[in-house]
Amino acid sequence: MTSVTSPLAGRVIGLAAVPDPVFSGAMVGPGTAIDPVREPSVAVSPVDGVVVSLHPHAFVVLDSEDHGVLTHLGIDTVQLNGAGFELLVAKGDTVTRGQGVVRWNPVDVEAVGKSPVCPVVALDASVDALSGLVEDGEVKSGDALFGWE
């Protein structure tokens, strides 16, 4: 069982509330989403594993059970071309849960008209594979979001 923890502090809102049909429809996989606190912060790895995909606005960490967890920092933030995001690791790096991956500021994302909401998705998983899914409430970085069988 993979335990997936929050990469950010904020308020959990669930995938259905994400203002993007790809995420709200769970088209890339089930999971949840966080409306982050509005202050400069570092998004951390939600699992121990290898960074298999890394962009300024999003990253995927693959754990030892071949579970890929996507953290997407904001919605439509790919359009920012990396502005306002600082990568703290490289693709291929081994990371531990809670290790910093990307430094960013949700306030800056909102200032350019983008949503700072952050989906955390179990890639290619079935809804039945997740347990203990958190869909509301406040979380701190490192708090449990869901288990993945």
Side-chain angles (χ1 to χ4, degrees), residues 49-115:
V50 175
V51 179
V52 294
S53 179
L54 181 65
H55 304 278
H57 66 282
F59 58 92
V60 175
V61 179
L62 188 69
D63 77 358
S64 61
E65 296 180 39
D66 288 331
H67 291 154
V69 180
L70 167 67
T71 300
H72 202 284
L73 302 175
I75 301 301
D76 294 330
T77 46
V78 65
Q79 298 167 2
L80 303 178
N81 297 314
F85 298 88
E86 178 189 354
L87 300 178
L88 304 176
V89 298
K91 183 177 176 182
D93 284 358
T94 298
V95 294
T96 56
R97 178 189 318 276
Q99 180 177 342
V101 178
V102 179
R103 182 176 286 119
W104 73 308
N105 188 344
V107 173
D108 295 341
V109 168
E110 265 184 333
V112 295
K114 306 294 180 198
S115 169

Side-chain angles (χ1 to χ4, degrees), residues 4 26-31 66-69 121-131 146-149:
V4 177
M27 292 179 199
V28 292
D66 288 331
H67 291 154
V69 180
V121 176
L123 294 176
D124 301 320
S126 68
V127 172
D128 298 346
L130 303 191
S131 60
F146 56 86
W148 184 356
E149 303 249 352

